[in-house]
Amino acid sequence: MRTVALGIVAMACLVAMAHGGNFFQDAEVSWGQGRGKIVDGGRGLDLTLDRSSGSGFQSKSEYLFGKIDMQIKLVPGNSAGTVTTFYLSSQGSTHDEIDFEFLGNVTGEPYTLHTNVFTQGQGQREQQFRLWFDPTQSFHTYSIIWNPQHVIFAVDGTPIRDFKNHEARGVAFPKSQPMRVYASLWNADDWATQGGRVKADWSKAPFVASFRDFNADACVWSNGAQRCPVGTMETVAAPAGGRRGGAGGWWNQELSDMSYRRMRWVQRKFMIYNYCTDAKRFPQGTPAECKLR
């Protein structure tokens, strides 16, 4: 496991450019035997799933903190049994991971947006949502803001979840393992749709999920050192939606009062599962972070 202390992170922060928008430059198809294809001159990447295999890609760089944006248009029509993913992950049994997963459904029924955070190999922090739009008709932007104090999930700029650093209270937080960006489209019809009761309809294959405008305003980890965009760790005037900001706003970003209210609105209206309220799953008590505000 590759780790680095936060103090060393700050000292090693050097000049680096923020990547954006070109899959030829920033990503590589990692599996699928030709089912993943870079399109539109590098601006987009299409992943395909058929009965034989799905497909996936990963970033060429590893990152240790940043704001990662991806525009995604999900599988249209009968997407039952399919799962489209966009996530950050390190490697090994004690890995860290920050997940967006989109669980398909039968025609006319909504997708489930599944989020999770793994720290030191431990997950079980699922929150699930319905979306307030049709994610198959056009591209929408899904963002992960990951800094030393917060992991914020956002959809089209609206925060839907904020996993805070409560290490002082004994809750692990992903802050020392560099992570790559991954995305995939795969068959999970044993569990993805209505608990596995609805299977993939292979007569509708191939299924296609489209990605574009991958942007990583982030600290790149390479050869044991971290390179951050200029000014990343400086505290400057807050951008819209954030209370404090650095270059791009993400290093010190936390939710403003307005953004917090927007997040709570989404959670009240569209959250369909929250591990923090699942007493049956945690008969000895919900995880520690659920009791902290």
Side-chain angles (χ1 to χ4, degrees):
M1 178 180 68
R2 290 162 296 170
T3 61
V4 59
L6 252 180
I8 297 175
V9 167
M11 293 173 61
C13 189
L14 305 174
V15 175
M17 63 182 297
H19 295 300
N22 192 300
F23 283 96
F24 283 121
Q25 174 184 333
D26 298 326
E28 55 191 0
V29 176
S30 50
W31 63 281
Q33 298 175 314
R35 292 175 177 83
K37 296 184 184 299
I38 297 176
V39 298
D40 196 16
R43 186 185 178 197
L45 197 157
D46 290 344
L47 294 179
T48 300
L49 165 68
D50 58 32
R51 187 184 289 272
S52 297
S53 177
S55 51
F57 68 88
Q58 65 186 45
S59 62
K60 291 181 179 178
S61 296
E62 292 180 296
Y63 307 104
L64 189 58
F65 304 125
K67 181 175 185 289
I68 312 296
D69 300 315
M70 189 77 73
Q71 292 192 1
I72 307 173
K73 183 165 66 173
L74 297 176
V75 175
N78 187 353
S79 59
T82 71
V83 174
T84 305
T85 70
F86 159 51
Y87 63 102
L88 288 164
S89 183
S90 58
Q91 299 297 311
S93 60
T94 57
H95 74 291
D96 293 339
E97 188 172 324
I98 303 168
D99 292 340
F100 276 109
E101 297 186 351
F102 304 88
L103 313 185
N105 213 333
V106 296
T107 301
E109 294 298 317
Y111 267 82
T112 296
L113 170 55
H114 175 102
T115 67
N116 203 353
V117 177
F118 286 74
T119 57
Q120 300 174 14
Q122 298 298 314
Q124 296 189 323
R125 298 184 177 97
E126 299 92 345
Q127 291 183 351
Q128 294 183 337
F129 304 82
R130 300 299 191 202
L131 293 165
W132 50 96
F133 52 83
D134 184 343
T136 72
Q137 292 300 303
S138 60
F139 285 91
H140 291 268
T141 302
Y142 304 90
S143 303
I144 295 168
I145 298 104
W146 172 37
N147 64 40
Q149 296 302 321
H150 297 265
V151 174
I152 299 171
F153 297 77
V155 177
D156 288 336
T158 296
I160 64 170
R161 180 177 184 178
D162 182 9
F163 182 79
K164 299 180 181 180
N165 186 338
H166 287 300
E167 285 185 306
R169 305 288 188 89
V171 179
F173 185 83
K175 71 172 191 180
S176 58
Q177 298 188 50
M179 295 194 272
R180 292 188 192 275
V181 176
Y182 295 89
S184 61
L185 173 60
W186 53 289
N187 172 27
D189 68 2
D190 56 335
W191 64 271
T193 304
Q194 299 179 31
R197 291 186 296 275
V198 180
K199 305 299 184 182
D201 180 357
W202 295 111
S203 71
K204 301 294 192 294
F207 303 103
V208 179
S210 298
F211 298 75
R212 74 177 186 190
D213 291 352
F214 166 37
N215 186 76
D217 180 6
C219 297
V220 175
W221 182 259
S222 179
N223 298 319
Q226 187 187 41
R227 297 177 297 117
C228 298
V230 175
T232 292
M233 298 180 188
E234 297 175 2
T235 300
V236 298
R243 187 169 293 164
R244 294 193 305 268
W250 60 263
W251 179 266
N252 295 298
Q253 186 170 341
E254 55 190 37
L255 297 182
S256 67
D257 291 342
M258 180 180 293
S259 291
Y260 178 79
R261 288 195 297 270
R262 291 172 67 195
M263 180 183 73
R264 292 295 297 145
W265 176 82
V266 169
Q267 292 175 348
R268 286 192 300 270
K269 293 283 189 178
F270 300 104
M271 182 184 285
I272 59 172
Y273 177 80
N274 183 2
Y275 74 110
C276 282
T277 61
D278 193 343
K280 290 183 179 179
R281 183 180 179 187
F282 300 103
Q284 304 304 315
T286 55
E289 66 269 16
C290 297
K291 305 175 181 68
L292 300 173
R293 293 187 181 274

